[in-house]
Each structure stands twice: as C-alpha cells, then as structure tokens.
C-alpha cells in the first residue's frame, strides 16, 4: 500500500476540521437563556444599549447645552417634573441641572454611549492581543512560553489602576489614552486564561487526531482549540467590561480620562464632588448609572459562566 501524499493529508485534515455540530449555537443560546442571571444581565445591557443608541431622540436637550442658564434656572437645581407637582411655569428637568446649567438627565443618557464604548473597545482590544499571546505561548511551549509569560507577570506585578495612571501620564490625558491604558493593563489576564485553556485542550483526542491527519498548526489553533477555549474567555471578557468601566471612570474622576465637556459618568462625579452635600443628586445619578452597568455586566458574566461551564451545565 502506497503512503499518502502530504497534500492528501493536509486536505483530509482541513475536511476534518470543517465539521461542525449544526445545533452548537442553538444549544449554547438555549443554555444561556435558561440562566436567570444571564437574563437579568442581558436585560440591563439591553436597556443601556437602547439608551446609548437612541440618546439623541430620548434626551430633551444636547449634552453640552447650558439650558439652565438660558432659562434662568439656578445652577445645581434639583429635579422638576410636571407630573409630580412641579409648577408648569418652570422648565422641566427630570434629574435637575449641573453646575454649568446642563440637563443632568441628558448627560447621563449620553454617558451610556461613552461607557459602552469604553467597555467593549477596551476589552475587545485586550482580548485580541491577550488571545494571540496566550494561544502562541500555550501551543508552542518552551522558551517562547517562558518569555511571553514572564512579560505578562511583570505587567501583573503592578496594581492595575496605578499602572494605568502611569501609562496615561506618559501618553497624555485623553479618553483614548485612558482606554488604551486600561486595555494594556488587562492583556495579561486574557493571555493567562487563554494559555491555560490551550494547555488543557491541545492534548485532547480531537486535537491529536487533527494533528495526525496533517492539519496545519494555524488551522488547529483557529478551528479546534480557539472555539473550545472561548467560553472562559467570554465570561472573563464580560466581567472585564465592568472593570473597564470602573477603571476609566476612576481615571476621569482624577482628571486623567474624558476631557470636559464630554459627558462621561466618572468626570461628571469628579466635576461635582465638592457639591456632594449641597447638590447630592449630581453625584447620585451618575454613580447609580455606573453601579447598574457594573452590576449588570457582573450578573451577565455569572450567568454565562453557569451556562457555558460543562461541569455546571447539567
């Protein structure tokens, strides 16, 4: 019997990798929708996405309009809702106005845009870089694994927020630099998660069989190992969005993130921190928005973990 050619082996390996259970995505979605935490988290995320997308239609004013000054309303005034007894002769401001006479409800709505952008872009950047580093380190092993992981350990040795402040200080104060700093700080987390998954998956029978059939290394990583390693990475990424929102809010609070007059929840709290007793609503509403966002993402992450973990999914 003649030996099979390398081209035949590679073609057979590609065909073996192309097989997919037709019901994989349907079963995954069903498992997620059976988790109460996931449903609650998706509901909160849906409300945030709705507010961010339709903010220009929902908000009664522009985020930078000093309507309080033009309407003769004292700055940092409380809410005025006509249905709740506020005089009809007074302009309606659902959550009041800030120290510059801007409508607080409008700015909280537009702040959802900034927070979602921060969370998804920052975590997406960290996941892409961390997945590449972790998959290469875990699959290659040896000296390359040691070098890459030691670099990740150096980054993990610094407190995340302190390292982010250092990076922003070096790069300059801006929202983009704040997102980049938080993304760089988060890369080691996803790299280590991906490496651990690759180490546990690369010796499984279906990976060994694909390697024996002559499948290329790139195809094995992208079609066999990566899809199997996605669940823990997805859960960690969902939890990471909450952390990114908090970290960028902290940088903005310190004046290292979103520049004024951009409507960002952390900077809104930082700008009015001295009026916490005179006008507590200016701190409460942006703080509540941050809390709901973080809570929603954490609950969604817990639900995804319960749904995607085969040890918990019975």
């Amino acid at each position: 019997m003649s030996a099979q050619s390398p081209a035949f082996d590679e073609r057979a390996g590609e065909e073996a990798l192309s097989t997919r259970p037709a019901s994989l995505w349907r079963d995954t979605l069903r498992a997620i929708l059976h988790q109460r935490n996931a449903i609650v988290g998706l509901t909160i995320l849906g409300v945030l996405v709705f507010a961010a997308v339709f903010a220009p239609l929902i908000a009664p004013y522009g985020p930078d309009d000093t309507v309080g000054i033009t309407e003769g309303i004292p700055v940092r005034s409380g809410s005025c809702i006509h249905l709740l007894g506020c005089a009809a002769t007074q302009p309606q401001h659902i959550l009041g106005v800030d120290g510059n006479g801007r409508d607080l409800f409008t700015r909280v709505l537009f702040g959802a845009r900034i927070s979602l952008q921060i969370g998804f872009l920052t975590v997406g950047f960290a996941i892409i870089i961390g997945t590449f580093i972790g998959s290469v380190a875990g699959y290659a092993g040896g000296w390359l694994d040691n070098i890459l992981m030691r670099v990740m350990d150096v980054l993990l040795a610094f407190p995340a927020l302190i390292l982010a402040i250092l990076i922003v200080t070096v790069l300059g104060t801006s929202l983009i630099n704040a997102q980049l700093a938080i993304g760089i700080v988060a890369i080691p987390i996803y790299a280590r998660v991906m490496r651990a998954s690759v180490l546990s998956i690369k010796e499984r029978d279906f990976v060994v069989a694909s390697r024996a059939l002559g499948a290329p290394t790139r195809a094995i990583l992208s079609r066999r190992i990566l899809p199997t390693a996605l669940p823990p990475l997805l859960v960690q990424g969902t939890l990471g969005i909450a952390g990114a929102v908090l970290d960028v809010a902290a940088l903005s609070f310190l004046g290292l993130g979103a520049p004024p007059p951009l409507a960002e929840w952390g900077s809104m709290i930082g700008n009015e921190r001295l009026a916490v007793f005179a006008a507590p609503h200016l701190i409460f509403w942006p703080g509540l928005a941050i809390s709901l966002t973080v809570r929603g993402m954490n609950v969604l992450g817990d639900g995804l973990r319960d749904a995607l973990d085969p040890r918990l999914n019975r």
Side-chain angles (χ1 to χ4, degrees):
M1 181 181 295
S2 61
Q4 294 177 336
S5 65
F8 177 81
D9 289 342
E10 183 172 343
R11 186 165 57 252
E14 293 285 350
E15 292 176 355
L17 288 174
S18 63
T19 59
R20 285 290 185 274
S23 62
L24 176 61
W25 292 106
R26 184 173 64 250
D27 293 342
T28 301
L29 181 60
R30 184 183 299 114
I32 292 174
L33 294 179
H34 283 170
Q35 295 294 329
R36 183 180 302 175
N37 286 343
I39 294 176
V40 173
L42 286 173
T43 301
I44 296 176
L45 179 60
V47 172
L48 289 173
V49 171
F50 181 84
V53 172
F54 297 101
L57 301 178
I58 301 173
Y61 307 99
D64 301 328
D65 296 344
T66 56
V67 292
I69 296 177
T70 58
E71 294 170 349
I73 301 175
V75 295
R76 300 189 176 91
S77 297
S79 63
C80 176
I81 304 175
H82 295 160
L83 292 177
L84 298 181
C86 182
T89 56
Q90 298 183 15
Q92 179 171 254
H93 295 282
I94 298 177
L95 302 182
V97 296
D98 65 6
N100 292 307
R102 297 169 297 195
D103 184 69
L104 186 60
F105 175 69
T106 298
R107 291 182 62 79
V108 170
L109 279 179
F110 277 88
R113 285 188 163 189
I114 305 299
S115 293
L116 290 180
Q117 171 191 327
I118 289 169
F120 285 102
L121 291 183
T122 301
V123 172
F125 167 78
I127 286 180
I128 292 173
I129 305 299
T131 297
F132 176 77
I133 294 175
S135 59
V136 170
Y139 194 81
W143 62 270
L144 184 58
D145 180 24
N146 288 329
I147 291 177
L148 291 176
M149 287 301 102
R150 296 300 76 77
V151 174
M152 298 297 101
D153 290 341
V154 170
L155 291 177
L156 286 173
F158 295 92
L161 189 57
I162 301 300
L163 182 58
I165 292 175
L166 175 62
I167 295 174
V168 171
T169 302
V170 173
L171 297 179
T173 301
S174 71
L175 184 60
I176 295 178
N177 289 341
Q179 295 179 68
L180 181 61
I182 299 301
I184 293 174
V185 170
I187 286 175
I189 299 174
Y190 302 102
R192 293 178 71 89
V193 170
M194 188 62 189
R195 175 181 178 271
S197 298
V198 171
L199 288 175
S200 65
I201 294 171
K202 72 175 184 178
E203 300 301 332
R204 293 185 182 178
D205 292 340
F206 65 91
V207 177
V208 175
S210 299
R211 195 182 301 120
L213 288 172
T217 300
R218 182 176 60 182
I220 294 175
L221 278 173
S222 62
R223 298 186 183 180
R224 282 302 193 198
I225 295 180
L226 184 58
T228 310
L230 276 181
L233 205 63
L234 180 61
V235 173
Q236 186 62 47
T238 305
L239 299 174
I241 292 176
V245 171
L246 270 179
D247 289 340
V248 176
L251 291 177
S252 298
F253 179 84
L254 297 174
L256 300 175
L262 193 63
E264 196 276 328
W265 294 332
S267 63
M268 291 167 63
I269 296 175
N271 293 337
E272 302 295 345
R273 66 186 183 277
L274 299 180
V276 62
F277 296 109
H281 62 283
L282 301 180
I283 307 296
F284 174 78
W285 293 113
L288 180 62
I290 295 174
S291 299
L292 286 177
T293 303
V294 173
R295 180 59 178 170
M297 293 300 174
N298 286 336
V299 170
L300 178 58
D302 290 341
L304 292 177
R305 180 200 60 198
D306 296 340
L308 300 178
D309 192 338
R311 295 169 297 179
L312 300 176
N313 187 16
R314 296 288 186 260

